[in-house]
Amino acid sequence: MARRASALAVLTLAAACAVVWSGDRHTPVPGSPGRESVAPLLAHVEVVGERVPVPGYQRDCSGESACVFGPAWSDATGAPGSGNGCSTRQDVLSRDLRGAVTDPDSPCTVSGGILVDPYTGRVVDVERTGVGGIHVDHVFPLSAAWDLGAWRWSARRRAAFANDVDRNLIAVTGSVNTRKSDSTPADWLPPDPGRHCFYAARYLSVAVAYGLPVTAADHEALGEAVRRCPRGG
């Protein structure tokens, strides 16, 4: 329970990192979690030599596809925040867009607000650009989770993982999410180095909470990111 509480505390702190920041790009953005709260996660997470592809991963749920993580953005998974009548995507948009605007006739539908991209710091007026340009990112990619152990999980646990609003999901701009795709830290880190600490905190929190390992290469990249975290933050 103590480890779980620690992970959740990191998430709370990390959420504050999505702010506009115009200082030194190598300085952690204000609100970044302190190194003393993230380093224990880095020390605790299991490390494996490499990621070995496991057959059977299929995200699509149409036709005869395996749909191994369940229907996208399902509200009926048992994940934190589920069962409120709104899709997971709308829950994330409502949380992450500042001044989120909803349709009076459809309270779950978010149509506007301001996004401060947590990976770049870019400010987006969603009402002007359109909500379609905002993606919901799985910080710990589903395909990586599958290969690193989720293939052994029950379908219910995988669905909860894919819809875990509290830990694994954040709203980002579509362009940065497309570039990230299903990459893990060894191959992708936020374009703004000042946000590496935030990203490492989120990634490690998910891994520890779900008992997922990280590869040696990812652990090294995450270690570099954690060293960017402020001391005493």
Side-chain angles (χ1 to χ4, degrees):
M1 288 297 292
R3 291 195 186 102
R4 177 64 58 83
S6 175
L8 291 177
V10 168
L11 290 180
T12 301
L13 286 167
C17 292
V19 297
V20 181
W21 176 238
S22 58
D24 184 346
R25 284 172 56 84
H26 293 276
T27 300
V29 295
S32 293
R35 193 180 307 178
E36 70 282 353
S37 65
V38 187
L41 297 174
L42 183 70
H44 177 76
V45 72
E46 180 186 354
V47 181
V48 295
E50 60 183 6
R51 172 182 168 185
V52 179
V54 176
Y57 173 74
Q58 288 182 314
R59 177 58 173 148
D60 185 49
C61 293
S62 62
E64 298 181 359
S65 296
C67 190
V68 295
F69 283 90
W73 314 135
S74 171
D75 184 44
T77 65
S82 69
N84 64 356
C86 300
S87 75
T88 302
R89 171 176 164 82
Q90 297 301 327
D91 286 338
V92 175
L93 294 178
S94 179
R95 181 198 64 193
D96 290 355
L97 269 58
R98 300 180 181 183
V101 177
T102 57
D103 184 340
D105 297 323
S106 180
C108 286
T109 303
V110 178
S111 58
I114 300 296
L115 174 72
V116 181
D117 189 297
Y119 292 152
T120 64
R122 178 187 170 196
V123 179
V124 180
D125 182 343
V126 176
E127 196 162 14
R128 182 175 61 82
T129 62
V131 74
I134 305 303
H135 290 190
V136 174
D137 178 45
H138 290 94
V139 177
F140 199 118
L142 298 184
S143 63
W146 173 265
D147 290 340
L148 291 166
W151 64 273
R152 300 187 186 94
W153 297 350
S154 67
R156 180 175 176 81
R157 181 171 174 79
R158 286 197 295 267
F161 176 84
N163 291 275
D164 191 333
V165 172
D166 287 353
R167 299 184 183 89
N168 199 27
L169 300 176
I170 53 177
V172 301
T173 54
S175 57
V176 75
N177 192 47
T178 299
R179 289 193 295 272
K180 176 178 181 282
S181 187
D182 60 355
S183 298
T184 56
D187 297 315
W188 186 93
L189 289 170
D192 180 356
R195 297 167 192 274
H196 287 185
C197 172
F198 154 77
Y199 174 70
R202 291 298 295 259
Y203 198 95
L204 288 164
S205 292
V206 177
V208 170
Y210 281 90
L212 288 167
V214 299
T215 67
D218 286 335
H219 193 264
E220 182 178 354
L222 289 164
E224 289 295 325
V226 171
R227 281 187 279 276
R228 292 185 183 276
C229 293
R231 292 185 180 276

